[in-house]
Amino acid sequence: MISNKFKASLMLILAALMVFTTACSSSSNSKDDAGGKQEVTVTFRSTGSDDSLNKYFKSGLVEEFEKQNPDIKINLSPILASEGDYFSKVVLQMKSSDTSPDLIAEDTSILKSDALAGYLEPLDTQVEGWSDWINIIPNLKEGVTGEDGKIYGIPATSDTRGLWYNKDLFKQAGLPVPWEPKTWEDVLEAARTIKAKLPDVTPMHMTVGKASGEGVTMQTLEMLLYGTEDELYNAETKKWIVNSPGLLDSFKFINQVFNVDKTGPSLQIALSGQAGSMAFEQLLPQDKMAIALDGSWAGSTWGPDGAAPIENVTEKMGFVAMPTQHGQEPGATTMSGGWAWSIPANGKHKDASWKFLQFIMNKENATARVVAEGALSPRMDSVEVGGYLDRPFIKEAQSFLNTAHFRPTNDQYASVSTQIQSIVESIASGKLTPEDAIKQFTDNVTRVAGADAVEQK
């Protein structure tokens, strides 16, 4: 038999081992094995070998941070994928502490749903102690605020949308340059004039193919809808507005372009996931397209390092605000979105991640990124940084923020947006009339959101 004295000694040894094991486990949560450094894994969507964000990080930025913080190592872990695939892969990673990154790029269109699912860490405490938070454009903070009112990300890039136009083609068609449309009818009439005067030119591009995903919702439907008296979501009742005069008129505008006036591109181009690239890399610069409703970032295509460089680009191209439907106040409208940085709830190094996040979002570093990407800065003081406003069309794009609208703060947005994308494609391809589209939208949103989450106007 084992003596009581031996049992007591054995229990002490086991207890000591448990304490040692727990201490080692706790240590591994704060320090990685390699050199005792915290290894912060940063995940973002990559577009390939020419990815500007990857180049931005590797331009000396990471090296400088690691020099200032010798106890932290930054591990860049980009995901080469389409937007949809990126979102899916990131969610799978964030579900487990074994696979979750420490800092992640979140599109503001899905940030709210990821926050509701518990994948993201609230950052309210952190931003309260961050002196630069006051420099973030107030409206953009809405895009990183969850349904519970908490902050789940720091806006990193911003954008606006408007009407790009080829000045040379406008002059050939006898249209005014600079062009300053005041109503939707002005836009439609310009496209009709191009068609009549320049039959070999595609008058107008809008993103309508569901293969382009969120671009259909933001670049097209919401750019129209938020120029009416109606909106997509009632923030007071927290319900989706599925049947309104503004929504019907927005559907009618799309139908007018593609099926009545026939001033849009061929369906082979319009429904392609590469429609935007074709418009800005080929058709517009080659004088084969006159107007394109699209984002502020598109102009970087024509820069010296862009896919289709144009010398003296501001002499050839113009960028003007999308007017409201009837020219009603404030006269113009735009949608603003962008990417944010978030810290996953299952990340292992939250303090170190926050330290790196503050570093890349300081005035100089945050501005350097958007300049490299051709985007707009979420920081109000970026306009003070040399070179920021010197880029072609940035001054115009920045001014559009004064009339900007933002996607609804609702975790169901992604599902509703998917319905919009499918219906807009069906309207453009002639499969749905605007009136039938309203009915289908009502039925579909009611199904995905629930009858108690919709209202008609």
Side-chain angles (χ1 to χ4, degrees), residues 71-124:
D71 61 330
I72 301 175
K73 176 176 173 54
I74 300 300
N75 173 34
L76 300 179
S77 182
I79 295 177
L80 180 61
S82 65
E83 278 197 8
D85 287 343
Y86 171 77
F87 299 153
S88 300
K89 291 179 180 180
V90 161
V91 165
L92 288 175
Q93 289 182 353
M94 290 193 293
K95 285 183 176 180
S96 169
S97 59
D98 293 331
T99 57
S100 178
D102 298 292
L103 186 63
I104 194 160
E106 284 266 319
D107 190 297
T108 53
S109 68
I110 63 158
L111 183 145
K112 300 173 201 310
S113 57
D114 283 351
L116 185 71
Y119 298 140
L120 306 179
E121 184 79 3
L123 300 176
D124 298 73

Side-chain angles (χ1 to χ4, degrees), residues 4-18:
N4 289 334
K5 184 176 181 180
F6 182 78
K7 286 181 179 178
S9 299
L10 182 61
M11 290 178 68
L12 285 171
I13 293 171
L14 290 173
L17 284 172
M18 289 179 67

Side-chain angles (χ1 to χ4, degrees), residues 286-455:
Q286 294 174 13
D287 297 336
K288 296 177 180 178
M289 178 178 283
I291 307 168
L293 177 60
D294 217 302
S296 54
W297 61 87
S300 62
T301 303
W302 306 318
D305 299 322
I310 297 177
E311 289 187 16
N312 303 317
V313 63
T314 56
E315 295 179 11
K316 184 178 182 66
M317 300 294 181
F319 192 38
V320 65
M322 178 68 184
T324 51
Q325 183 177 10
H326 302 297
Q328 70 271 28
E329 292 296 329
T333 185
T334 195
M335 295 298 300
S336 183
W339 290 83
W341 288 112
S342 295
I343 296 177
N346 280 324
K348 294 179 180 178
H349 306 296
K350 294 183 174 67
D351 289 344
S353 299
W354 174 246
K355 186 174 288 188
F356 185 58
L357 200 165
Q358 291 178 85
F359 176 76
I360 60 178
M361 282 306 302
N362 68 32
K363 182 178 179 180
E364 290 72 24
N365 292 336
T367 306
R369 173 187 172 176
V370 295
V371 169
E373 292 188 0
L376 301 181
S377 175
R379 294 188 58 117
M380 292 183 286
D381 54 1
S382 283
V383 296
E384 301 169 1
V385 178
Y388 179 73
L389 289 178
D390 294 340
R391 297 172 292 157
F393 312 112
I394 292 300
K395 187 174 294 185
E396 294 93 327
Q398 188 81 17
S399 70
F400 297 171
L401 283 171
N402 296 328
T403 58
H405 296 275
F406 301 86
R407 288 170 286 195
T409 306
N410 186 288
D411 63 283
Q412 295 174 326
Y413 176 81
S415 297
V416 173
S417 179
T418 299
Q419 301 306 318
I420 290 172
Q421 294 157 30
S422 178
I423 286 172
V424 167
E425 176 174 297
S426 293
I427 294 170
S429 59
K431 295 178 181 178
L432 282 177
T433 65
E435 291 77 13
D436 288 340
I438 285 287
K439 183 180 184 305
Q440 185 167 317
F441 183 68
T442 300
D443 293 343
N444 291 0
V445 176
T446 301
R447 174 173 48 81
V448 300
D452 59 347
V454 301
E455 67 180 40

